[in-house]
Amino acid sequence: MTKAASSGIGRPPITRWLAIESVVLVFVSLAFFFLRGQVSGYSALVGGLIFLLPHGYFALKAFRYSGARSARKIISSFYQGEAGKLILCAILFTMAFKWIQPLDVAALFLTFAIMLVTNWLTPLLAGSNTQQS
C-alpha cells in the first residue's frame, strides 16, 4: 500500500533554528570572555539574548497557525509577532543600558549583529527543507 503524499507547506523547524542560534551565542560569548574579559563576555551574552528572546517571541506568535483557512489569523499573528519583537528589543536594550554597569557596548552590539547574520544563515546551515515528503 502506498502512503498518500501530504500537500502543503510544512512549518519551519523553529526549535532547531533557535537551538543553533543559542549554541552560536554561547560560543560568541565565550570568545569575548576569553579574548577581552569578563565584562565583554557578559555584555556579549546580553546582546545575544536581546536578539534571541524577541526572536523566540516572534516565532511563537508567527507560526502558531497553519492552513489556508487560517490565512487571516496567520497574517495577523505575523504582524503582532513583529510588533512585539520590535517592542521587546527596545525594552531589552533600554534595560541593558540602564541597569547593567559596566557594559561593553561594542561587544553588546557586535554580538547582536552576529546573531542577526546567524539568523539569516541558520536555514542554510540547518537545512531548510520544510516540505513534507
Side-chain angles (χ1 to χ4, degrees), residues 20-21 52 66 83 103 105 118 124:
I20 291 169
E21 292 170 2
L52 272 183
S66 65
L103 184 68
V105 177
T118 301
L124 299 174

Side-chain angles (χ1 to χ4, degrees), residues 3 16 23 28 48 58 62 72-73 84 88 105 107-108 114-115 119 122 128:
K3 184 178 175 183
R16 185 178 348 148
V23 169
V28 169
F58 171 78
R72 289 179 196 237
K73 289 180 183 178
L88 276 171
V105 177
L108 182 126
I114 289 169
M115 295 305 297
N119 180 255
T122 300
S128 61

Side-chain angles (χ1 to χ4, degrees), residues 5-20:
S6 114
S7 61
I9 297 173
R11 291 184 180 170
I14 297 299
T15 307
R16 185 178 348 148
W17 293 356
L18 288 173
I20 291 169

Side-chain angles (χ1 to χ4, degrees), residues 33-133:
F33 179 79
F34 288 117
L35 296 174
R36 297 196 52 206
Q38 182 180 3
V39 173
S40 293
Y42 72 72
S43 296
L45 182 64
V46 168
L49 288 174
I50 289 173
F51 177 83
L52 272 183
L53 294 175
H55 182 64
Y57 172 80
F58 171 78
L60 286 173
K61 287 292 270 187
F63 297 109
R64 68 178 166 178
Y65 299 111
S66 65
R69 292 183 182 163
S70 301
R72 289 179 196 237
K73 289 180 183 178
I74 292 169
I75 296 294
S76 175
S77 66
F78 261 76
Y79 283 126
Q80 290 172 6
E82 189 62 31
K85 183 171 118 176
L86 292 173
I87 291 168
L88 276 171
C89 274
I91 290 170
L92 291 173
F93 271 118
T94 302
M95 289 170 55
F97 286 120
K98 185 171 183 171
W99 292 336
I100 300 176
Q101 297 298 328
L103 184 68
D104 185 346
V105 177
L108 182 126
F109 280 121
L110 186 58
T111 305
F112 187 86
I114 289 169
M115 295 305 297
L116 185 61
V117 171
T118 301
N119 180 255
W120 296 336
L121 298 177
T122 300
L124 299 174
L125 297 173
S128 61
N129 186 11
T130 58
Q131 294 289 346
Q132 302 292 327
S133 43

